[in-house]
Amino acid sequence: MKGALHILTLVTTIAAGFGCSGAKVTTHASSELPRYQVRTMVLLPFTAMGTPQVRDVGDQYVSTPQGALGSDIALEIPPNVEPPIRQTVAVPRYAAEKVTQLFWVRLRNWKGINVLPPSEAAKVAMPAGDAAKTTPEAAAAHIAKALRADAALMGQVLVYQERVGSRLGANPPATVGFEVKLVAADGQVLWVGNYYEKQKPMTQDFVAFIQHGGGFVTAEDLARYGVDSILKHFPFGSPGGS
């Protein structure tokens, strides 16, 4: 019994010592939200940010010697060495489709709301030329109204970087970020959710590392975790079977 208590105390101490990297999910509800009822919602195909982002080329993760803390280790770069060229990378096209599908898997059996699939949204979407002349929120409201839905859930993938390495070690690790908005058929933005996570090693984010199974996960794994985390704060309905 004492041994078990000692292990529990040790794990708690480690978790408190290493802490976590801060909130990965943020949400905001409009003050107008209580005036709306959403019984039917359409899930729109997500888009991907078109502007190339600076690529994360790694954080120089190194093994920590026994008895030392990661914060005690510093990597010194000689002054005569030129800094590496900063690369840019666009969000891959498949990322938007992947995140859309992850949301659909969770929402298709959502209790309390009839959720229409992205394929239905595509049938009544504005022509590309017309959509370019308006805001994404207005285009989402147009689709909701055309389908006689109360609202539309739209989203954009902001960053989607695959890990370089394996579950045992990655440099850089996977990074995923996306935003979702619930837009009423009259154009009112009712709710916004954001997720961003760049997976960190156990010495920097012990709790999240254990949540992800004690290894470096793929971008899809992070995206799935982000979808589940955001939907915990969704203001209408409740989870059903998936």
Side-chain angles (χ1 to χ4, degrees), residues 5 38 60 143 147 174 202 212:
L5 289 175
V38 176
Q60 301 297 326
I143 294 174
L147 293 173
M202 184 170 63
H212 293 314

Side-chain angles (χ1 to χ4, degrees), residues 28-30 32-33 36 38 151 182-184 188-192 236:
H28 174 74
S30 167
E32 298 295 314
L33 182 65
Y36 289 81
V38 176
L182 181 66
V183 183
Q188 175 71 46
V189 178
L190 302 178
W191 179 83
V192 179
F236 296 100

Side-chain angles (χ1 to χ4, degrees), residues 110-136:
W110 204 254
K111 295 179 180 178
I113 303 179
N114 177 30
V115 182
L116 305 178
S119 58
E120 291 297 308
K123 295 177 183 178
V124 296
M126 287 183 177
D130 293 340
K133 298 175 184 178
T134 188
T135 65

Side-chain angles (χ1 to χ4, degrees), residues 174-195:
T175 306
V176 171
F178 55 82
E179 178 184 65
V180 294
K181 292 182 180 181
L182 181 66
V183 183
D186 63 4
Q188 175 71 46
V189 178
L190 302 178
W191 179 83
V192 179
N194 283 276
Y195 168 74

Side-chain angles (χ1 to χ4, degrees), residues 208-241:
F209 200 79
I210 297 303
Q211 285 177 337
H212 293 314
F216 288 95
V217 299
T218 64
E220 181 177 347
D221 291 331
L222 277 190
R224 183 179 294 105
Y225 174 80
V227 169
D228 289 341
S229 299
I230 276 186
L231 287 179
K232 289 178 181 178
H233 305 278
F234 194 67
F236 296 100
S238 60

